[in-house]
Amino acid sequence: MTGPHGTKAAGEAAGAEGAAAGPPTRMAGHLRLPGAVALAITIVVGSGALVSPGIAYHQTGQAALYAWLVAAAVTVPLLIVFARLGADLPGAGGVAGFVQAGFGRSWAAGVEVMLLGTFGLGIPAIALTGGFYFQQIPGLHGVPAWAAAIGLLALAGVSVAIGGSVSSRIQIVLALLMTAGLLAAAVLGLSGGDPVQHLPPARPEELALGVAALGAVFFAFTGWEMLSFTTEEYANPRRDFPRVVVISFLVVTTLYVLLAWAVQTRLAEDDPKAASAPIHAVVSAAAPGLAWVVSVLGVVIIAANLVGAVWAASRLVMSSAREGLLPRPLARLSRSAGTPPRNAVAVCVAVFSLMALATASDLLSLSDLLTVAGQNFFLLYLFSAVVYARLKAGAPRVFGITIAVLLGLLALTFGPLQLGYALVLLMLGWALSRRGGNRREAAPGS
């Protein structure tokens, strides 16, 4: 990893050398604004959009809409920190690259191991959610959820392995389908038939009740941290990465607020489907004949989410292999710098598929996977804020320290199992690096 100015120069030098002497060591900057925004939307909008609006409504009633507005407001300072670091320190290492710039290689190795353990839980959980939606499509009820999940992971792997420019076009199509489908569901819920509920009262106690449901909706605002693993592929990361964060945040927040509004407009608070399948219930209430479309939309959303997740995870594996933490063949690229690390993609899909299969034998549960992975992803924002405070000076440093302290206090509310899992992985990576197991690549820019 290098500094913000050295990264681009090193990448160009490595690419030129690779063209003459063999396969390149860094990926080409092919990702431009439309494809990057589509990738961001598909990474962030996932199962949270399909479930969280109903969970918050079930917990707090009409005040749930305030929870979404507060969560969006809380996310803004986190994204400011994240966007600036991504623009200044682009690279396939993502958050681990941020940590390396601020605290050195040993701590970065710890973060890489923690991230590998987190991806290994979170991405199979996403695939299993898609498998459950797949079962709801008419005629497909008998397909095991784990089998559908493995099929979705395989499709995601093929999409990512095809190549960056093709993958970004696929993501643009998926993002458009997903956004249009969710927007249509929200509009249908807001406009069809007689509403059950209305907007929440504008009273302080209602706002306080909405804040109490913040934990139920904040998971839906995670995902931008995974974008950091794709910045090496940006044509102009310093200019485009902050733009991608802002544009995708506005699109995602608009969708979430409209969906939450539709849920509490169309459904009663005691509706049992509000907590388990709110979007399906909204469409069923407004247009019963179109309920099956929600199942198809759910599969499309999860498929798009998985493409982005496998894309990000394979880049982390590639970066860790470059640094010697993982076997070097996983960092191998073809002679075209625009071709993805297919060895890393294949290994990621295989490991994630095994984890999804493990749920069929009751070794792991979906709730366990989601809980541990979700809280570990939250820790990535904490690490980014600490790095931001270390690398900046003056008012930005004070801002970073404030955000880090607030996130640290929130992290203390996590269960000991979740924090222990993250700590063990962090220290394992640190120890491996300190003991010399992490041999850094000698190529420029490593």
Side-chain angles (χ1 to χ4, degrees):
M1 308 285 175
T2 59
H5 302 293
T7 302
K8 184 177 180 181
E12 292 172 350
E17 180 181 342
T25 59
R26 299 185 67 84
M27 300 193 69
H30 62 85
L31 201 54
R32 301 187 184 277
L33 191 62
V37 170
L39 180 61
I41 292 172
T42 54
I43 285 178
V44 176
V45 178
S47 57
L50 300 172
V51 179
S52 297
I55 294 176
Y57 180 51
H58 188 72
Q59 289 181 355
T60 61
Q62 295 182 62
L65 189 60
Y66 289 133
W68 289 94
L69 297 174
V70 171
V74 168
T75 303
V76 169
L78 305 182
L79 294 185
I80 291 173
V81 168
F82 184 70
R84 289 313 320 157
L85 288 176
D88 292 343
L89 301 167
V95 177
F98 303 164
V99 173
Q100 181 159 326
F103 295 95
R105 178 59 205 158
S106 294
W107 286 112
V111 172
E112 286 173 8
V113 172
M114 195 201 85
L115 283 166
L116 292 170
T118 302
F119 282 146
L121 299 179
I123 295 176
I126 295 171
L128 286 165
T129 302
F132 292 135
Y133 270 90
F134 190 84
Q135 290 178 318
Q136 302 307 311
I137 298 175
L140 299 176
H141 303 290
V143 178
W146 62 266
I150 292 175
L152 289 171
L153 283 167
L155 288 174
V158 170
S159 175
V160 175
I162 289 174
S165 59
V166 176
S167 296
S168 63
R169 288 196 289 271
I170 292 173
Q171 287 302 88
I172 290 173
V173 173
L174 290 175
L176 289 173
L177 288 173
M178 183 175 67
T179 303
L182 289 175
L183 183 61
V187 171
L188 189 63
L190 290 169
S191 60
D194 296 326
V196 176
Q197 305 287 342
H198 299 282
L199 288 175
R203 295 195 300 262
E205 57 269 27
E206 291 290 327
L207 177 59
L209 189 59
V211 172
L214 184 61
V217 304
F218 187 79
F219 180 74
F221 284 89
T222 62
W224 280 281
E225 69 283 350
M226 295 180 70
L227 281 181
S228 62
F229 303 100
T230 68
T231 51
E232 182 178 309
E233 298 165 72
Y234 277 53
N236 190 336
R238 178 175 288 276
R239 181 195 66 193
D240 287 344
F241 188 70
R243 294 181 179 181
V244 168
V245 171
V246 171
I247 295 171
S248 60
F249 173 76
L250 293 175
V251 172
V252 168
T253 300
T254 300
L255 276 177
Y256 285 167
V257 171
L258 288 176
L259 287 170
W261 187 6
V263 166
Q264 62 191 63
T265 296
R266 187 59 47 198
L267 304 180
E269 293 180 26
D270 57 354
D271 189 331
K273 293 182 178 179
S276 58
I279 309 305
H280 187 279
V282 165
V283 175
S284 297
L290 297 177
W292 66 272
V293 177
V294 178
S295 298
V296 176
L297 177 61
V299 174
V300 171
I301 289 173
I302 298 302
N305 203 225
L306 285 173
V307 173
V310 171
W311 189 327
S314 63
R315 274 39 173 188
L316 171 64
V317 170
M318 176 184 71
S319 177
S320 296
R322 283 177 182 169
E323 299 287 354
L325 188 66
L326 295 177
R328 288 291 174 82
L330 295 178
R332 186 174 298 152
L333 301 173
S334 74
R335 291 186 178 274
S336 170
T339 302
R342 288 175 176 153
N343 290 346
V345 173
V347 167
C348 285
V349 171
V351 171
F352 300 154
S353 296
L354 287 174
M355 293 297 292
L357 184 60
T359 62
S361 57
D362 295 328
L363 294 175
L364 295 167
S365 70
L366 180 60
S367 61
D368 290 338
L369 296 178
L370 286 172
T371 299
V372 176
Q375 293 183 348
N376 277 10
F377 280 130
F378 177 86
L379 294 177
L380 299 184
Y381 285 108
L382 172 59
F383 297 154
S384 297
V386 172
V387 171
Y388 188 84
R390 181 175 177 84
L391 296 180
K392 300 297 182 181
R397 172 169 291 179
V398 174
F399 178 75
I401 292 173
T402 302
I403 297 301
V405 170
L406 292 175
L407 293 178
L409 292 174
L410 287 173
L412 291 176
T413 65
F414 295 170
L417 176 62
Q418 289 78 24
L419 286 177
Y421 178 72
L423 182 61
V424 167
L425 293 178
L426 187 68
M427 297 311 299
L428 175 62
W430 182 87
L432 288 174
S433 178
R434 298 294 292 181
R435 289 175 62 87
N438 181 20
R439 301 180 181 88
R440 298 192 61 190
E441 187 176 352
S446 297

